[in-house]
Amino acid sequence: NFSKPILGIETSCDETGVALLRWDPEKPGRGLLSHALFSQIALHAEYGGVVPELASRDHVRKLLPLVRQALKDAGLTTADLGGVAYTAGPGLVGALLVGASAARAMAWALGVPAIGVHHMEGHLLAPLLEVDPPETPFVALLVSGGHSMLVEVQAIGQYRILGDTLDDAAGEAFDKTAKMMGLPYPGGPALAALAEQGTPGAFRFSRPMTDRPGLDFSFSGLKTQVLLAWQASDRSDQTRADIARGFQEAIVDTLAIKCRRALAATGAKRLVIAGGVGANKRLREQLGQAASDDGFRVYFPRLAFCTDNGAMIALAGAIRLASGQHQDETIAVHPRWSL
Ligand code: KG4
Ligand code: ZN
């Protein structure tokens, strides 16, 4: 019975996310009842990046308290649940297994179905949690720490990959560049904040792969350009901010150029931005401007649903369960899994 609330669990990387959603296609927020998140950023900051084993252990510690919290916030008990959705991949294998085991065990104990969800489908559908959600078809730009993809969403569940990254993901490029310049982990938000203080035009880097047709991305050369500029500079605080600004402009421009190309190629009039880099202010500004210039509409999830969260997993799982999909009881995860 899928008019009952679905529990969503996200543990693919360094955020433990949990949410409850009573699927209702007509309702704003699609029936989201509560969500709770614990970020492990402070835990990994000391090491300058995510330590997989520490991530798994922290998911073990935080997952059940978060489930209790989400139930309490929604005024529900486990007896009210109609199903459990969890991220089955892609992601860190140990971290994924924590969510998958907990979800499967809970579903088995409660006698309700469980479903493994693709993490990127979660990101892709996150804008549907907002008021005035996009209708299909749309083009989605998925930009996170692990992915940079352009996807044509013909309908929910019908995806065509238009472009992918050949090397670093957009978020990864932000993080690695930030680390090179001595900024704290996670580098993306830190670099974006620093770029605000940079002088426009002081540094100009190339817009990789925009000079030829196609919708794939490559950011590793850009990272090297920035490294060389940083090493050759006076390394003052102002120069660091100037370089950060030049780098951010290059990435944002590149993403915007490819989005416009994808819209032209598919004839779509709606663009969805999802994934952690979707929280970037300059990207939001620039695509907002492109939308009004070119006459398309752009949709962003709220900032908390751009980065990893349980709500997007509850949503993607609820849609699949409502359409009659279910899986056997094996606890299986897919660290690498294409959309
Ligand atoms: O979607 P997400 O939370 O996790 C993955 O599935 O990877 O994305 C995290 C990525 C990180 O690389 C982080 O640095 C980046 O998103 N990020 C940002 C900003 N906020 C998060 N990058 C640029 N500007 C931001 N404001
Ligand atoms: Zn993600």
Side-chain angles (χ1 to χ4, degrees), residues 162-252:
L162 303 169
D164 206 339
T165 181
L166 304 180
D167 41 59
D168 290 351
E172 191 179 0
F174 264 98
D175 294 340
K176 287 179 174 171
T177 304
K179 197 170 177 178
M180 257 158 33
M181 294 198 292
L183 296 176
Y185 165 87
L191 193 148
L194 185 64
E196 301 273 308
Q197 269 112 61
T199 317
F203 284 84
R204 189 184 158 89
F205 302 108
S206 60
R207 276 65 176 146
M209 298 185 62
T210 54
D211 57 350
R212 67 194 100 157
L215 293 166
D216 287 332
F217 302 99
S218 162
F219 292 118
S220 111
L222 177 60
K223 194 181 62 192
T224 308
Q225 273 183 39
V226 173
L227 174 64
L228 295 175
W230 173 242
Q231 285 173 338
S233 77
D234 62 4
R235 304 196 191 193
S236 67
D237 286 349
Q238 187 57 47
T239 303
R240 178 154 58 183
D242 292 347
I243 293 179
R245 186 168 188 126
F247 168 80
Q248 176 170 266
E249 289 306 308
I251 288 231
V252 166

Side-chain angles (χ1 to χ4, degrees), residues 10 12-15 90 119-120 123 143-147 169-176 178 185-193 247-248 251 274-283 303 305-309 312:
E10 156 63 34
S12 68
C13 189
D14 60 346
E15 330 266 356
H119 182 78
M120 299 315 287
H123 276 304
V143 270
S144 71
H147 298 266
E172 191 179 0
F174 264 98
D175 294 340
K176 287 179 174 171
Y185 165 87
L191 193 148
F247 168 80
Q248 176 170 266
I251 288 231
V277 182
N280 187 275
K281 210 172 121 214
R282 270 302 287 149
L283 182 67
L303 291 180
F305 294 165
C306 273
T307 47
D308 291 349
N309 64 87
M312 66 185 196

Side-chain angles (χ1 to χ4, degrees), residues 124-136:
L124 198 76
L125 299 180
L128 302 186
L129 292 162
E130 305 306 332
V131 256
D132 192 17
E135 282 170 25
T136 54

Side-chain angles (χ1 to χ4, degrees), residues 65-146:
L66 281 175
V67 171
R68 278 192 206 102
Q69 164 96 47
L71 284 166
K72 186 163 164 264
D73 292 350
L76 299 173
T77 70
T78 48
D80 299 312
L81 296 179
V84 186
Y86 60 95
T87 304
L92 302 170
V93 64
L96 289 167
L97 277 169
V98 175
S101 316
R104 287 271 163 208
M106 258 188 275
W108 184 76
L110 296 168
V112 298
I115 189 152
V117 168
H118 195 292
H119 182 78
M120 299 315 287
E121 181 175 47
H123 276 304
L124 198 76
L125 299 180
L128 302 186
L129 292 162
E130 305 306 332
V131 256
D132 192 17
E135 282 170 25
T136 54
F138 58 79
V139 165
L141 173 71
L142 296 179
V143 270
S144 71

